[in-house]
Amino acid sequence: MSLADAQLHGADLRYGIDRTALTPEVARCVRELAPDTATFDFLDRQWHTGHSRARWLAHGVLRACCSHFTTNALLGTYRLHLLSSPQWAALLGPHHPGRLLDVGAGVGDVTRELARSFGDVLAVETSNALVRRLRQLDIPAVRADLTIDTVPDAPYDAVALLNVLDRCARPLSLLHHVVDALTPGGRLIVSMPLPYSPIWFAGPRPTDPKERLPLGKGSWEAQAGLLVERVLGPAGLELEVLSRAPYLSEGDRHVAFYELDAVVAVARRVG
């Protein structure tokens, strides 16, 4: 499969960044990726996967009483792909023997790829169903809400917030807690779809978060720049790498796949 084939099936697969729309300091940190075999394999599976009517009827029933995330854990729906392990290595460098905390690990698809860059990993989720699913994949996991709970077994050499800051009630509180859980010089790995459009699942229905990131409106580059300037910098973090990648999700009865346009940032704790 080629990039042209993927685009023919409706995938945008945006990786390019307009450096001229960023400050010189941020532009120097840009590292552009490209789709790889894992990206095309994920899309190929979506185009050739049939969607059972019974499975999606069950999804509708469970969504009436459970959150979106718990429903997906129970049924194995909406599998995800962000970056492959070689792509993570391109952003983070060679394998690190240190400890990784992955907050909001979901069903573990993204965690497994990122974890290969580290010696040890602990996943955190707010749902018991998701914790069980992660453990079934041999990913150590605990249940906690780190917007209010103490970070377990800190400190960590790296903390990942992958598509979490736009899907939790208190993203600024969460960021403060996990930065405090980093070792000096430890790295925060953040991914978030842009444009910023936050929601929070308090139960089966989404609602507005209790805190919002100060990202305003504007182009992908404008909001990525504000993420660095207004969110990461004030949290005591110095940008190392800024990248862009499609955040892909398994489809359903309506479409073969879903695609969001995500920023991926790696920032080091100062001091």
Side-chain angles (χ1 to χ4, degrees):
M1 180 179 293
S2 66
L3 178 59
D5 293 329
Q7 292 172 334
L8 184 63
H9 284 82
D12 287 335
L13 301 182
R14 298 180 184 179
Y15 294 88
I17 299 175
D18 180 4
R19 288 172 170 81
T20 65
L22 300 169
T23 65
E25 294 78 10
V26 174
R28 282 195 292 268
C29 297
V30 167
R31 193 167 304 166
E32 290 190 15
L33 299 170
D36 62 1
T37 300
T39 310
F40 294 134
D41 286 348
F42 181 88
L43 289 170
D44 189 61
R45 285 194 300 273
Q46 309 319 310
W47 291 323
H48 295 95
T49 297
H51 295 290
S52 162
R53 178 176 174 81
R55 185 188 189 205
W56 291 103
L57 285 173
H59 192 278
V61 171
L62 286 173
R63 281 293 306 278
C65 58
C66 302
S67 77
H68 175 78
F69 305 113
T70 297
T71 300
N72 292 339
L74 294 171
L75 297 178
T77 45
Y78 294 114
R79 305 297 296 270
L80 304 173
H81 177 80
L82 179 60
L83 297 179
S84 66
S85 53
Q87 288 174 323
W88 281 119
L91 298 186
L92 298 169
H95 177 82
H96 303 277
R99 303 174 66 225
L100 167 70
L101 179 71
D102 189 9
V103 182
V107 296
D109 299 313
V110 178
T111 306
R112 283 185 297 183
E113 297 298 320
L114 175 59
R116 294 188 177 102
S117 290
F118 295 90
D120 189 30
V121 62
L122 177 67
V124 176
E125 260 301 343
T126 58
S127 159
N128 286 323
L130 285 169
V131 169
R132 287 193 295 270
R133 185 171 183 85
L134 289 163
R135 290 174 178 173
Q136 289 168 0
L137 296 174
D138 295 324
I139 298 173
V142 297
R143 183 180 181 276
D145 180 353
L146 297 190
T147 65
I148 54 176
D149 296 334
T150 301
V151 177
D153 202 23
Y156 292 88
D157 301 288
V159 174
L161 297 174
L162 304 179
N163 307 303
V164 170
L165 290 177
D166 62 326
R167 292 294 182 268
C168 71
R170 299 177 178 86
L172 296 172
S173 299
L174 173 61
L175 185 66
H176 173 76
H177 290 163
V178 300
V179 169
D180 282 349
L182 284 169
T183 58
R187 300 160 107 185
L188 183 73
I189 306 164
V190 173
S191 174
M192 185 173 63
L194 297 178
Y196 177 55
S197 181
I199 59 170
W200 167 53
F201 285 90
R205 297 185 180 278
T207 186
D208 291 332
K210 299 180 183 297
E211 298 172 357
R212 291 180 64 94
L213 302 179
L215 300 187
K217 297 180 180 180
S219 67
W220 188 97
E221 285 81 4
Q223 289 201 323
L226 290 175
L227 175 68
V228 175
E229 175 188 340
R230 296 182 178 178
V231 179
L232 301 183
L237 297 160
E238 183 178 84
L239 183 68
E240 287 189 338
V241 176
L242 184 78
S243 195
R244 184 178 191 172
Y247 174 37
L248 301 171
S249 168
E250 173 191 18
D252 47 33
R253 290 178 296 164
H254 305 291
V255 297
F257 65 93
Y258 291 96
E259 179 180 6
L260 296 174
D261 192 5
V263 60
V264 182
V266 182
R268 188 176 297 275
R269 181 179 181 182
V270 179

